[in-house]
Amino acid sequence: MSPEVSVVMAVYNGAGHLRQGVEGILTQTCDDFEFIIIDDGSTDETSSILDTYSDPRIVRLHNKYNLGLTQSLNIGLDTARGEYIARQDCDDRSHPCRLA
């Protein structure tokens, strides 16, 4: 069954704020979502931080090299299965009821 919402986030060298952005989505009151995270060829600790999450709602994609925000988000949109799309940046703070 497809999730109601696909949250799409592309990140490039965002290790400094990444946990804030990821936690803001994973702690939503609504849990009928998939969280598509595209690592856009990061060279910092982004990949290591993402490795610490095992939430089944996370769909991880990895670009071999930096394609830029627009192309990375389009890859995420092509992967999305939800009826609705929500955009998230790695440094965004999300209200717990954002997706509800």
Side-chain angles (χ1 to χ4, degrees), residues 79-99:
T79 303
R81 301 176 301 125
E83 182 176 352
Y84 302 102
I85 302 292
R87 264 276 290 122
Q88 176 84 354
D89 287 319
C90 72
D91 61 350
D92 284 352
R93 293 177 185 236
S94 295
H95 188 279
C97 297
R98 174 183 176 199
L99 299 181

Side-chain angles (χ1 to χ4, degrees), residues 6 8 36 38 72-81 85 87:
S6 293
V8 180
I36 302 167
I38 306 98
S72 294
L73 291 175
N74 282 332
I75 291 168
L77 289 174
D78 288 342
T79 303
R81 301 176 301 125
I85 302 292
R87 264 276 290 122

